[in-house]
Amino acid sequence: LLGGVRPDFFDIIRRPAFLLEIASMLTAAILATAAAFHLRVPQAIMTRPIKALLAVASAFWAFEVVHSFLGAENLGFPHYIHDCLIDLTLIMAVPAFFMFIMLKRGATTQALWAGYAALLAVASFAAIGMRYLCPVDDPSHLLAWHFLPVLAYAGIGSLAGRFLLRW
């Protein structure tokens, strides 16, 4: 975080593949946010459109994971926690806190799904920020320290929602 924007920022934002990646992450973030806002209402149920929002948002992340996996030459994961995971966590900490407060005040009855949608949305936005900060474009790095953590945080969000959003 303290390193600032990546040195090749003006070059990278001109690459179509990078812009497609950002558009994919942004779409996932917006869809997950819409699902979280819908699920904050006490009588909200998991309707087909809400299931579709979450499925499509998750599918965009699955696409990013598969794309990185196929492009990776070396899938060896380092034995240490990379700075990107720490930065991703720091970027999303405050928004996640406020998202859960919003969901708690809304008295959701779909706590598990609301937590999943909330952290998927927040982690997606944080991952967009990380792509502008992290200068590493290696697919195995992106897979291990950018994309898989978003899906892991979404899973953690469902567990957190189950326990924190009860009323």
Side-chain angles (χ1 to χ4, degrees), residues 25 28 57-65 120 123-124 127 146-147 150-151:
M25 289 188 276
S58 299
F60 273 107
W61 279 106
F63 167 77
E64 292 293 344
V65 168
L120 181 62
S124 296
H146 292 237
F147 303 151
V150 169
L151 295 176

Side-chain angles (χ1 to χ4, degrees), residues 2-84:
L2 298 176
V5 177
R6 57 190 293 165
D8 62 344
F9 175 75
F10 292 107
D11 293 330
I12 196 78
I13 61 172
R14 292 186 184 117
R15 292 187 202 162
F18 180 81
L19 295 176
L20 180 63
E21 181 182 315
I22 296 299
S24 174
M25 289 188 276
L26 183 61
T27 302
I30 291 169
L31 293 175
T33 301
F37 273 99
H38 172 78
L39 292 171
R40 82 184 191 288
V41 179
Q43 279 74 34
I45 58 173
M46 285 295 292
T47 61
R48 280 192 182 141
I50 298 306
K51 288 178 184 176
L53 285 176
L54 288 175
V56 171
S58 299
F60 273 107
W61 279 106
F63 167 77
E64 292 293 344
V65 168
V66 169
H67 182 262
S68 292
F69 182 78
L70 294 175
E73 293 177 14
N74 176 18
L75 284 176
F77 289 76
H79 297 292
Y80 60 90
I81 295 177
H82 198 277
D83 290 343
C84 290

